[in-house]
Amino acid sequence: MKGDSIIHFEGVTKRYGKVVAVDNVSLEVKEGEFFALLGPSGCGKTTLLRMLAGFEVPSEGRIFIDGEDVTLVPPNRRPVNMVFQNYAVFPHMSVADNVAYGLKVDGVHAADRARRVEEALALVKLDGLGGRKPDQLSGGQRQRVALARALVKRPRVLLLDEPLSALDAKLREAMRTELCQLQAQVGITFVMVTHDQDEALALADRCAVMQRGLLQQVASPSDLYEFPASRFVADFIGSVNLLEGQLVVDEPDHAEVAVAGVDQPVFIDHGVTGAAGTTLWLALRPEKIELHKWADAPPHPGDAPPGRNVVAGTITHVAYLGSESLYEVTLADGQRLKALRSNLTRWDQEDFALGETVWLAWHACSPAVLLT
Amino acid sequence: MRGPLDYLGRWPLRLWLGLVGLFLYLPLVALVAFSFNDSRRTTVWRGFSLTWYRELFADTELLTAFGNSLVIAAASTLISLILGTAAALLLWRFRFAGKAALEAALGLPIVVPEICLGVAFLVFFTAIVPWPGELPWPFSLGAIIIAHTTFSFSFVALVVRARLAGFDGALAEAARDLGASEWRIFRDIMVPHLVPGLVAGALLAFTLSLDDFVITFFTSGPDTITFPIKVYSMVRFSVTPAVNAASTLLILLTAALTALALWLQGADIAKQAA
Amino acid sequence: MLQRPGAARGVFAATGLPPIVWLLALFLAPLAVIWAYSFGENRTLVDIAITGSWANYARALKPLYLAILLKSLGFAALTTFICFILGLPVALAISFASPRAKLLLLLAVMLPFWTNLLIRTYALMAILRTEGLINSGIGAIWSLVPGLGPFEPLPLINNNFAVVVGLVYVHLPFMVLPLYAALDRLDRSLIEASLDLGAGHLATLFRVVVPLALPGIVSGIIITFIPALGAYLTPDLLGGTNSQMIANVIERQFRSANDWPFGAALSFLLMYMTFAALLLQSLIVRRHAGGAP
């Protein structure tokens, strides 16, 4: 059933000698979802995927697929198939033989096999290329062979190890859309490993962010971006301004945080459970900071409309990015904030000049309050 | 916990490795052990003794043979190093008519059966260009040195060529741009890069020479006995622990040379990593 | 960029002349001489006339010598086969070992390889002799079991068995090292892909590992076969009168029978067989490269 748990990691730890690659990870993946394991290189995401495939055995903990303990089941007897990072297409076999390989070793009848191979090749739009050798294929086509080869076995879960990393930028964009469509078409659970946050956000229904073997947060892409659980997640996903401050007011419906360099305490539109004086961090996305002309600013910071936070600064760097411009604004105490402004008209990028003094403003609901 | 590709952790494979290891090492270990046996017999252990080593060092003929072997190995190594490096440089640097033929000819000594090379030298040094027998030592060893050089310089060329393949030609161009002459480039840029290859090639040539029996067997005269030839006649004559003792010494020498090669290459790898 | 000789005439001469002259005068010339002799006949003991006759080759193909040629080929083939069976699991284990274990195991394979051939053969003699380690070991156990009667030592030396054991013993590293090199180069994810797609370890070995490592396997086979075919010392020391190989016959022609032309013809037959094996290897490897790079 869609939505039921299909994969379950229960306190999984993997050690290589003294190095802990995966540290006590517990995680569930639901039937039919596109799940991404995201993190910087060496964070343990690939080890986790390889343990799911059966290439590594956990040092501790258990792994369940469909409620069955597969921790010690060898890879050839697991209902999962993998698309390898380098595709691992057998160079000595034709495309059709590659796709048929998994069926052949399972003893599927020749006639049945040929039909299923044809279907799988059609699914990945390689119809008619079955007779080619892998060295006659482009990188993108080889990846399709790897996909067809795994999908033809109708696995319960398809594992993808950095599926788009070896493709060039244009192809990668196109392949993203195709992967999404493919997943919707076959309805198989996909688990993907990637270090590319854009890829994870664009493709996945849910992501698990990992760092140094530890699971940091499991959430939907928008929750990861808008409601990060830690400074690491806030910083790893997208671009962020992190302001360190002390909690001064904590009411059920609002809170205020004193931030060095910002005259007025920053007003937050929800309560924070913490003692007064607690150190915490405000994560503020650049696109959520508005830039205002000095002349348009309120005469006193305290006169700002309710629910608005304002601070004065000087533009010290401008990066014109086409669709938007990124401004670096230095506050009086030397702290630098990034603000992103869409170029809505063709003249917008000329509104603010380097060296200009400006007001920065943001909504009380914009910063994410982080305790770690 | 073992992953599916940790083949070394599987017991059937461990057993197999153990049996192959036993096959490879039991004879050698027994050989070394019985060189210390206090008995003429090489199967029943009587007690520890250095008798056979004492006998060995009293055998002047064996010592002469050992000295001959070292001189032949050193001389053929030196000549092989020069010839092999020259050939490697030639093939690395130039494109010329007959290059493919030269490459093939250079590879031949490696693949031609030892016995064929042996009889060719036997004929050559008796019927075609008789090597004068009454030359003073060490010139009397000349025929053997020539024979050994012929088969080992191809190996040196092979090793040095492999090393040259990793040479960045831009370095030589940079040196030339900075005003270095052909010879200075060779001395200051090429040789330092080649050193590991030269060392490996030299050790290979030395070991091959020390190891050779068949070709020497056909090239040596009654007065030019090498260590393997002497050991061979001892083995043919009788199996006594003295042969074991002599063999043990040669094994030690080979192991020391191998360790030296590994150590030098290890130092080289460490240098590259740093 | 490769240079033309004219670009640096001095360097070309300095690096070219010594090795070329040496090869011509001291390698190809001696071989050419016995090649010429193989078409000659003995006039007196020392005088050989090059008559251009094929008599020596015809004689080498007479049943007596043909049997020895075939026996040599058979010994070499059997040796290669046994080395392959013994060596493949060893190479497999080494290539999948941890870096440290890999180094130690490679060293363990190389050390006998570097040890003097004569000494290794002698070491084996001491094991296999009638009063050798194996026979005295079995004898000791035999005497402990009552009612077996006197122990008859097993005939382990001076026969075909001893020659093959000796050839395998000497040539095993020749097989293991190229096999290891080929397996080590193999992309490990291909093996994982095969396991992932449901193939067991044996199916993976035969459908993925062996086809992909084929060039390395072929060179291992040829590298083992060639020296085994031309072996002199092993049959000389371990074999009996009935287990002589072609190299022993060649030696006899030159050192005791003094029939140099016949010995020369046998030498060249051996060399042609060697070249044929090398040709076969390059054909298989080229075909493999054409099919799947």
Side-chain angles (χ1 to χ4, degrees):
Chain A
M1 278 294 288
K2 195 163 173 116
D4 287 356
S5 163
I6 184 167
I7 298 166
H8 180 56
F9 288 94
E10 191 184 274
V12 170
T13 296
K14 178 68 183 179
R15 284 185 216 94
Y16 296 103
K18 280 185 186 146
V19 183
V20 184
V22 172
D23 193 352
N24 193 20
V25 166
S26 292
L27 181 66
E28 295 217 357
V29 177
K30 298 194 191 94
E31 171 102 59
E33 76 176 334
F34 199 135
F35 193 88
L37 291 166
L38 177 64
S41 64
C43 71
K45 57 189 189 302
T46 304
T47 309
L48 204 59
L49 190 80
R50 289 173 58 80
M51 285 195 282
L52 192 52
F55 299 132
E56 312 277 348
V57 179
S59 313
E60 274 166 40
R62 291 189 296 171
I63 300 170
F64 298 87
I65 297 175
D66 274 331
E68 202 179 311
D69 187 344
V70 296
T71 316
L72 297 174
V73 174
N76 47 331
R77 295 202 210 111
R78 293 191 186 205
V80 299
N81 287 113
M82 181 138 148
V83 175
F84 288 79
Q85 183 170 11
N86 62 357
Y87 315 139
V89 174
F90 302 126
H92 60 300
M93 297 182 195
S94 70
V95 167
D97 286 342
N98 260 284
V99 178
Y101 183 80
L103 301 176
K104 214 179 277 176
V105 296
D106 279 357
V108 175
H109 281 293
D112 199 16
R113 204 162 65 206
R115 189 180 48 76
R116 282 173 67 177
V117 167
E118 216 152 286
E119 280 170 13
L121 285 176
L123 189 67
V124 297
K125 304 188 178 113
L126 284 179
D127 334 45
L129 295 185
R132 294 248 182 118
K133 278 289 183 93
D135 58 326
Q136 298 168 308
L137 299 179
S138 70
Q141 287 172 319
R142 272 205 288 277
Q143 180 176 46
R144 286 161 193 271
V145 176
L147 270 168
R149 188 176 69 177
L151 286 172
V152 77
K153 293 207 64 178
R154 300 176 188 147
R156 293 286 290 136
V157 183
L158 183 75
L159 310 178
L160 301 121
D161 187 3
E162 301 270 5
L164 305 177
S165 64
L167 302 176
D168 62 54
K170 275 260 191 275
L171 200 56
R172 204 178 305 163
E173 288 283 324
M175 209 55 208
R176 269 187 201 172
T177 324
E178 258 200 73
L179 270 182
C180 271
Q181 289 168 348
L182 194 66
Q183 202 244 347
Q185 204 177 337
V186 296
I188 290 173
T189 311
F190 280 25
V191 176
M192 170 179 80
V193 154
T194 179
H195 68 275
D196 182 343
Q197 34 135 339
D198 288 342
E199 203 171 293
L201 298 191
L203 284 167
D205 298 319
R206 286 197 310 143
C207 299
V209 180
M210 292 184 70
Q211 184 207 13
R212 292 201 213 105
L214 289 163
L215 199 59
Q216 295 286 325
Q217 188 173 2
V218 184
S220 70
S222 65
D223 279 1
L224 278 183
Y225 189 80
E226 306 294 355
F227 303 97
S230 63
R231 276 178 292 161
F232 171 78
V233 175
D235 194 38
F236 185 70
I237 311 278
S239 167
V240 78
N241 295 296
L242 279 172
L243 302 168
E244 186 177 337
Q246 272 76 39
L247 190 61
V248 287
V249 175
D250 186 21
E251 297 291 333
D253 65 334
H254 75 278
E256 284 176 32
V257 178
V259 175
V262 179
D263 307 337
Q264 292 285 317
V266 175
F267 187 87
I268 311 285
D269 75 342
H270 59 83
V272 177
T273 324
T278 310
T279 299
L280 40 72
W281 292 269
L282 301 176
L284 196 51
R285 300 289 182 189
E287 76 277 7
K288 293 183 171 60
I289 300 183
E290 301 159 16
L291 275 166
H292 292 288
K293 289 280 181 190
W294 181 256
D296 301 337
H300 305 290
D303 295 345
R308 280 302 179 91
N309 296 288
V310 290
V311 63
T314 310
I315 296 178
T316 45
H317 186 77
V318 182
Y320 173 69
L321 303 174
S323 59
E324 64 243 328
S325 293
L326 182 66
Y327 299 87
E328 182 193 80
V329 178
T330 305
L331 307 187
D333 70 335
Q335 194 172 177
R336 288 167 197 180
L337 295 184
K338 289 172 280 180
L340 196 65
R341 187 165 175 269
S342 288
N343 294 324
L344 296 175
T345 77
R346 290 203 280 166
W347 313 104
D348 270 17
Q349 80 276 8
E350 290 169 14
D351 287 353
F352 293 94
L354 195 65
E356 200 174 325
T357 303
V358 293
W359 286 104
L360 299 177
W362 63 86
H363 285 279
C365 62
S366 290
V369 181
L370 307 172
L371 294 167
T372 57
Chain B
M1 284 300 160
R2 215 179 54 214
L5 292 186
D6 291 340
Y7 287 120
L8 203 55
R10 290 166 188 271
W11 72 264
L13 213 55
R14 281 182 176 229
L15 184 69
W16 194 267
L17 276 182
L19 290 176
V20 171
L22 194 69
F23 174 55
L24 281 179
Y25 279 92
L26 179 70
L28 289 176
V29 170
L31 174 112
V32 172
F34 281 105
S35 73
F36 298 105
N37 195 11
D38 194 11
S39 157
R40 281 209 73 81
R41 294 177 60 185
T42 52
T43 43
V44 181
W45 183 256
R46 277 284 169 71
F48 184 84
S49 149
L50 290 174
T51 321
W52 303 107
Y53 288 89
R54 248 175 259 125
E55 186 171 297
L56 209 63
F57 284 107
D59 186 340
T60 49
E61 204 181 328
L62 190 79
L63 290 180
T64 310
F66 192 66
N68 284 347
S69 273
L70 289 181
V71 169
I72 292 165
S76 68
T77 298
L78 189 67
I79 307 170
S80 299
L81 216 49
I82 295 166
L83 290 173
T85 308
L89 284 169
L90 179 82
L91 292 170
W92 174 72
R93 180 159 170 180
F94 294 104
R95 179 164 37 111
F96 52 92
K99 183 173 174 175
L102 177 64
E103 283 189 83
L106 201 59
L108 270 184
I110 297 175
V111 295
V112 163
E114 279 183 313
I115 185 88
C116 301
L117 209 51
V119 298
F121 279 119
L122 170 70
V123 171
F124 191 70
F125 285 124
T126 47
I128 311 298
V129 190
W131 194 262
E134 55 282 353
L135 282 175
W137 190 89
F139 298 101
S140 52
L141 304 172
I144 304 177
I145 292 172
I146 287 171
H148 284 198
T149 303
T150 300
F151 67 74
S152 48
F153 95 85
S154 288
F155 284 95
V156 174
L158 204 70
V159 173
V160 176
R161 269 188 97 181
R163 181 76 196 163
L164 268 175
F167 181 75
D168 180 5
L171 291 178
E173 283 172 4
R176 166 153 300 176
D177 178 65
L178 295 169
S181 67
E182 203 58 75
W183 171 247
R184 289 296 302 236
I185 292 172
F186 179 71
R187 205 188 67 187
D188 298 345
I189 314 290
M190 304 287 292
V191 170
H193 175 81
L194 287 180
V195 164
L198 295 176
V199 170
L203 283 162
L204 189 60
F206 197 86
T207 320
L208 283 172
S209 167
L210 217 51
D211 195 30
D212 181 71
F213 167 75
V214 173
I215 293 171
T216 317
F217 185 53
F218 288 99
T219 326
S220 64
D223 302 327
T224 51
I225 300 290
T226 68
F227 190 73
I229 302 286
K230 173 69 186 161
V231 171
Y232 178 78
S233 65
M234 287 164 84
V235 170
R236 272 258 162 251
F237 182 63
S238 70
V239 174
T240 73
V243 183
N244 293 39
S247 303
T248 303
L249 288 181
L250 196 61
I251 290 174
L252 274 179
L253 184 65
T254 315
L257 283 175
T258 312
L260 182 70
L262 282 174
W263 181 72
L264 284 171
Q265 276 171 352
D268 181 52
I269 290 162
K271 221 184 287 166
Q272 280 175 347
Chain C
M1 257 324 271
L2 293 178
Q3 283 180 329
R4 292 239 152 242
R9 223 167 266 285
V11 181
F12 184 72
T15 56
L17 277 179
I20 291 173
V21 167
W22 188 288
L23 271 178
L24 285 175
L26 297 167
F27 174 66
L28 294 176
L31 285 182
V33 169
I34 57 164
W35 185 74
Y37 276 9
S38 74
F39 296 101
E41 57 185 85
N42 268 346
R43 285 282 149 79
T44 66
L45 211 62
V46 285
D47 183 28
I48 293 164
I50 317 280
T51 53
S53 101
W54 290 86
N56 295 311
Y57 289 96
R59 190 177 154 207
L61 296 177
K62 289 218 170 108
L64 174 64
Y65 295 106
L66 192 64
I68 289 173
L69 276 178
L70 291 178
K71 187 169 211 168
S72 302
L73 283 170
F75 277 172
L78 186 60
T79 299
T80 309
F81 178 72
I82 297 173
C83 282
F84 182 71
I85 299 297
L86 283 180
L88 185 64
V90 175
L92 212 57
I94 297 177
S95 64
F96 286 99
S98 66
R100 206 187 145 71
K102 191 180 270 189
L103 195 73
L104 285 173
L105 287 169
L106 277 177
L107 209 61
V109 175
M110 304 252 275
L111 196 66
F113 185 64
W114 285 101
T115 305
N116 193 299
L117 176 67
L118 178 62
I119 289 175
R120 279 186 290 161
T121 313
Y122 169 69
L124 207 55
M125 282 171 76
I127 297 280
L128 297 176
R129 275 184 309 140
T130 315
E131 59 278 15
L133 217 53
I134 291 179
N135 270 323
S136 54
I138 297 175
I141 297 166
W142 192 275
S143 63
L144 292 179
V145 183
L148 281 177
F151 174 65
E152 274 298 312
L154 300 170
L156 297 175
I157 201 165
N158 299 332
N159 52 25
N160 294 344
F161 167 80
V163 174
V164 173
V165 170
L167 289 174
V168 169
Y169 182 67
V170 165
H171 294 104
L172 189 57
F174 285 88
M175 180 64 89
V176 172
L177 295 175
L179 282 186
Y180 158 75
L183 292 175
D184 203 47
R185 267 199 306 272
L186 212 67
D187 182 355
R188 199 171 280 212
S189 65
L190 292 171
I191 297 169
E192 289 181 343
S194 171
L195 293 175
D196 183 67
L197 291 166
H201 287 276
L202 278 182
T204 301
L205 184 67
F206 289 114
R207 288 170 187 256
V208 176
V209 176
V210 168
L212 287 176
L214 196 65
I217 291 172
V218 171
S219 56
I221 287 173
I222 300 293
I223 285 175
T224 311
F225 182 80
I226 288 178
L229 183 65
Y232 169 76
L233 208 50
T234 311
D236 183 55
L237 290 177
L238 292 171
T241 45
N242 236 338
S243 37
Q244 296 300 292
M245 290 173 70
I246 179 168
N248 307 97
V249 183
I250 295 174
E251 187 264 348
R252 221 177 303 137
Q253 305 311 316
F254 280 93
R255 292 186 67 117
S256 47
N258 259 323
D259 191 346
W260 288 10
F262 182 53
L266 286 173
S267 296
F268 266 85
L269 279 178
L270 176 60
M271 244 191 290
Y272 294 142
M273 288 194 273
T274 304
F275 293 152
L278 285 171
L279 191 70
L280 189 71
Q281 178 198 12
S282 72
L283 281 179
I284 293 175
V285 170
R286 191 165 306 165
R287 192 163 182 205
H288 187 85

